Amino acid sequence: MNKENFFKQIGQFKKSAAGKVPRVKTSEYLLRDIIALLFPIFSRKEEFSPEKELEKIEKRTHEILQNISFSNEDAENISEKFINTFEKIYHILINDAQAIFEGDPAAETIEEVIVAYPGFYAILIHRIAHELYLLQVPVLPRLFSEYAHKKTGIDIHPGARIGEYFCIDHGTGIVIGETTEIGDHVKIYQGVTLGALSVSKEKAGTKRHPDIGHHVTIYSGSTILGGKTHIGHHSVIGGNVWLTQSVDPHTVVLNKSEVYLKNNQSASEEMLHYII
């Protein structure tokens, strides 16, 4: 191992990243502060002052933006615009929590949904990251979404446009791509992918992911691909469906499967279930 050359390469990467990429830990601190401001039950502090927390968030946002090469004026302007979205984000999130509560018989209160449901936590972080994405802040929104991915197993690109009353049930393994557009009152179960037909770099900047209409339910394990794929409103996509074409409103799409049962009365053997 050539230590001198190795250390030189590390130093070059550090230098090239400076002014482009926020520090990961600093970004996580900012995100957790925003979450605690919106829902103080997540705060670790015994005494919580929204005024002081908001001031700290604005200052930290400004510092991060300056560190990734925004001018002082631009950093101040973007920070102010970002802060001004918090009230809107909060009200949308309350509607999301209500949708999850109404869609899950096991949920006893909205408060339980907010503090204990990974689906809500992923949506919460997405709503925050999306506002930064709209303000054209580089990298930071993606760090936020990857924090949610790490914590919940739910991968939502900050560019995805998601309507109100969004419900993620269970959630693990969900992937929602950058140019996905989701309407209001949509419910998605675990293992769903809203993805692209091609991952070619040439497709960057184009519409690659599907549109999901209002009041659509997508059950576990389903994959919907393509920028020209539109799922009409009030449709139901069954479990384990692979879909690359549009469907009309009020459509039910099912993956046909057959179950074979072999009933052996012998005491030494149990009933065998074969699922094809």
Side-chain angles (χ1 to χ4, degrees), residues 51-164:
E51 294 81 7
K52 290 181 180 179
E53 292 302 313
L54 186 60
E55 183 179 339
K56 183 175 73 172
I57 288 167
E58 189 165 14
K59 181 180 178 181
R60 180 168 278 168
T61 303
H62 184 274
E63 290 174 350
I64 289 175
L65 294 176
Q66 279 196 298
N67 288 336
I68 54 176
S69 298
F70 282 93
S71 69
N72 181 64
E73 183 179 353
D74 287 343
E76 186 175 341
N77 183 40
I78 293 171
S79 297
E80 183 179 355
K81 289 181 178 179
F82 181 48
I83 295 296
N84 287 337
T85 66
F86 287 0
E87 185 176 6
K88 177 187 73 174
I89 291 172
Y90 175 77
H91 289 298
I92 294 175
L93 286 167
I94 292 299
N95 291 339
D96 295 330
Q98 182 69 36
I100 295 172
F101 170 71
E102 292 176 357
D104 185 2
E108 297 184 0
T109 64
I110 290 179
E111 291 78 10
E112 178 190 0
V113 169
I114 290 170
V115 301
Y117 276 53
F120 178 80
Y121 196 70
I123 296 168
L124 162 58
I125 294 176
H126 174 74
R127 300 289 189 196
I128 297 167
H130 184 66
E131 294 300 329
L132 282 172
Y133 179 90
L134 294 178
L135 290 169
Q136 299 183 328
V137 176
V139 186
L140 184 59
R142 194 59 187 267
L143 289 177
F144 283 5
S145 66
E146 285 307 309
Y147 180 81
H149 187 194
K150 178 172 65 177
K151 290 290 186 180
T152 66
I154 298 167
D155 185 1
I156 309 177
H157 192 284
R161 297 178 181 270
I162 299 177
E164 297 191 33

Side-chain angles (χ1 to χ4, degrees), residues 255-260 273-276:
N255 178 35
K256 183 180 179 181
S257 62
E258 298 180 69
V259 179
Y260 293 89
H273 299 262
Y274 295 96
I275 303 178
I276 307 302

Side-chain angles (χ1 to χ4, degrees), residues 12-245:
Q12 288 174 341
F13 178 81
K14 181 181 178 181
K15 184 177 180 180
S16 67
K20 297 179 183 178
V21 180
R23 290 185 177 273
V24 175
K25 280 299 179 183
T26 303
S27 303
E28 291 181 0
Y29 293 151
L30 173 60
L31 176 60
R32 292 202 294 263
D33 285 344
I34 297 170
I35 292 171
L37 174 69
L38 296 173
F39 299 100
I41 195 167
F42 287 107
S43 176
R44 300 176 183 180
K45 299 178 180 179
E46 293 295 330
E47 295 184 7
F48 185 85
S49 168
E51 294 81 7
K52 290 181 180 179
E53 292 302 313
L54 186 60
E55 183 179 339
K56 183 175 73 172
I57 288 167
E58 189 165 14
K59 181 180 178 181
R60 180 168 278 168
T61 303
H62 184 274
E63 290 174 350
I64 289 175
L65 294 176
Q66 279 196 298
N67 288 336
I68 54 176
S69 298
F70 282 93
S71 69
N72 181 64
E73 183 179 353
D74 287 343
E76 186 175 341
N77 183 40
I78 293 171
S79 297
E80 183 179 355
K81 289 181 178 179
F82 181 48
I83 295 296
N84 287 337
T85 66
F86 287 0
E87 185 176 6
K88 177 187 73 174
I89 291 172
Y90 175 77
H91 289 298
I92 294 175
L93 286 167
I94 292 299
N95 291 339
D96 295 330
Q98 182 69 36
I100 295 172
F101 170 71
E102 292 176 357
D104 185 2
E108 297 184 0
T109 64
I110 290 179
E111 291 78 10
E112 178 190 0
V113 169
I114 290 170
V115 301
Y117 276 53
F120 178 80
Y121 196 70
I123 296 168
L124 162 58
I125 294 176
H126 174 74
R127 300 289 189 196
I128 297 167
H130 184 66
E131 294 300 329
L132 282 172
Y133 179 90
L134 294 178
L135 290 169
Q136 299 183 328
V137 176
V139 186
L140 184 59
R142 194 59 187 267
L143 289 177
F144 283 5
S145 66
E146 285 307 309
Y147 180 81
H149 187 194
K150 178 172 65 177
K151 290 290 186 180
T152 66
I154 298 167
D155 185 1
I156 309 177
H157 192 284
R161 297 178 181 270
I162 299 177
E164 297 191 33
Y165 297 93
F166 184 46
C167 174
I168 290 178
D169 200 349
H170 302 296
T172 303
I174 285 177
V175 177
I176 300 177
E178 179 184 14
T179 61
T180 303
E181 295 191 26
I182 297 175
D184 299 334
H185 297 280
V186 169
K187 186 173 186 178
I188 296 179
Y189 286 83
Q190 69 272 20
V192 166
T193 296
L194 304 179
L197 280 167
S198 170
V199 294
S200 170
K201 197 64 177 178
E202 296 175 355
K203 300 292 185 179
T206 66
K207 172 66 173 167
R208 308 183 305 282
H209 305 93
D211 294 341
I212 310 299
H214 302 310
H215 296 276
V216 169
T217 298
I218 307 173
Y219 284 101
S220 60
S222 288
T223 298
I224 303 173
L225 305 178
K228 295 182 180 180
T229 304
H230 179 84
I231 307 302
H233 61 83
H234 292 86
S235 291
V236 176
I237 310 301
N240 299 313
V241 165
W242 178 276
L243 197 58
T244 58
Q245 64 187 55

